[in-house]
Amino acid sequence: MLSNLCKHIIDSCPLFEQHCQLCGQRATRHGLCPPCRQQLPWRQGHRCPICQAPAASAQAPCGDCQGKHPAFAHLYSAYDYDYPLEGLIRRCKYAPDPALQGVLASLMPQALQHAHSDLPDLVIPVPLAAARRHERGFNLPDALARALADTMRVRFDDQLCWRKRNTAQQANLNRRERLKNVRDAFGVKRRCDGLHIAIVDDVASTGATLHSLAKTLRKSGATQVDAWVLARAIARQA
Ligand SMILES: [Zn+2]
Ligand SMILES: [Zn+2]
């Protein structure tokens, strides 16, 4: 009730207007003006029903998932990792920008609210290794996961898992190398018996990181792990 009232006051007050994060021109209360919002890269074409890689049909899993089902049940992405969203995520990923972080966080619940059939018990961000987190001062998936948990009224927990080590940059690795790179990269602090958990990340490429975290959670007793990401990269399939 109170939050609805606050939202109404914010929405109707010119003091809260800001310039659009993309064009920098039009004033908007939600960070992106309507024409720029329409340019966001919605998923297009058929996708694998498990990992959302481009596929010949939306009914049959892709070759990778047929070969070995990932540890997560389904990956849901709000958008493709493409222009102009790609630039916004990059801007937000390496330097704290609370306003932009808030805009990206607000995009996820809207796009994902129809993507899942049943709500998870717990929403958690994919953690950064402590040293890297300290260096950056923030972790974008934390903000995304918190926004999703708030909107869906599901428990948020950013303390359940930790990342044991800084994994090598994944960008130049193929799928097999990525899987090896993130194997056993995560730890879980307590048992998760019977829980349905959603793990949240900003960008998924091959899904190797999400697979690794999901595997660790399943080993700790989670019955189902879903992966929710803001954007899925589709260019680098190896
Ligand atoms: Zn704009
Ligand atoms: Zn797949």
Side-chain angles (χ1 to χ4, degrees):
M1 185 74 177
L2 190 60
S3 64
N4 282 347
L5 184 63
C6 291
K7 190 172 179 304
H8 176 73
I9 292 169
I10 288 170
D11 283 354
S12 55
C13 178
L15 283 175
F16 289 99
E17 283 196 347
Q18 49 180 313
H19 287 292
C20 170
Q21 292 278 354
L22 266 175
C23 64
Q25 302 291 316
R26 289 172 284 267
T28 167
R29 294 189 180 99
H30 303 289
L32 289 177
C33 68
C36 285
R37 197 171 276 263
Q38 285 203 338
Q39 285 187 25
L40 294 176
W42 288 93
R43 290 187 315 273
Q44 291 190 348
H46 294 309
R47 295 302 167 91
C48 166
I50 296 169
C51 75
Q52 284 202 355
S57 141
Q59 271 72 48
C62 71
D64 288 335
C65 291
Q66 280 184 25
K68 187 168 189 276
H69 196 299
F72 52 78
H74 296 281
L75 186 155
Y76 299 107
S77 70
Y79 299 95
D80 281 341
Y81 188 57
D82 206 346
Y83 176 86
L85 183 61
E86 182 181 6
L88 289 181
I89 294 175
R90 270 213 209 108
R91 249 170 67 195
C92 200
K93 193 162 174 142
Y94 300 105
D97 184 338
L100 180 53
Q101 207 167 295
V103 171
L104 294 180
S106 74
L107 293 175
M108 282 193 87
Q110 290 169 25
L112 291 178
Q113 60 189 343
H114 302 300
H116 50 84
S117 49
D118 52 340
L119 287 176
D121 302 299
L122 198 60
V123 175
I124 68 169
V126 172
L128 272 180
R132 192 165 290 167
R133 198 203 150 96
H134 185 70
E135 189 184 300
R136 280 191 200 162
F138 76 105
N139 180 29
L140 179 54
D142 288 358
L144 303 177
R146 204 180 283 273
L148 282 162
D150 282 354
T151 309
M152 292 167 180
R153 295 170 191 266
V154 170
R155 196 150 60 90
F156 167 82
D157 189 338
D158 60 354
Q159 300 297 314
L160 178 64
C161 300
W162 84 98
R163 199 166 186 139
K164 296 178 186 170
R165 55 193 157 84
N166 284 322
T167 44
Q169 291 293 327
Q170 300 262 75
N172 298 318
L173 306 178
N174 66 29
R175 186 170 186 277
R176 186 184 295 264
E177 289 166 337
R178 284 176 188 228
L179 284 168
K180 193 173 166 202
N181 188 32
V182 293
R183 191 176 296 151
D184 296 324
F186 298 98
V188 178
K189 292 180 187 165
R190 57 175 192 273
R191 297 285 307 169
C192 318
D193 293 308
L195 291 179
H196 173 188
I197 300 175
I199 53 181
V200 177
D201 209 351
D202 47 3
V203 179
S205 295
T206 59
T209 304
L210 295 161
H211 166 76
S212 176
L213 179 55
K215 192 172 169 182
T216 306
L217 290 165
R218 295 281 305 277
K219 274 189 193 162
S220 299
T223 45
Q224 182 176 334
V225 179
D226 291 321
W228 295 348
V229 300
L230 178 58
R232 196 199 197 294
I234 52 170
R236 297 184 199 96
Q237 290 299 305

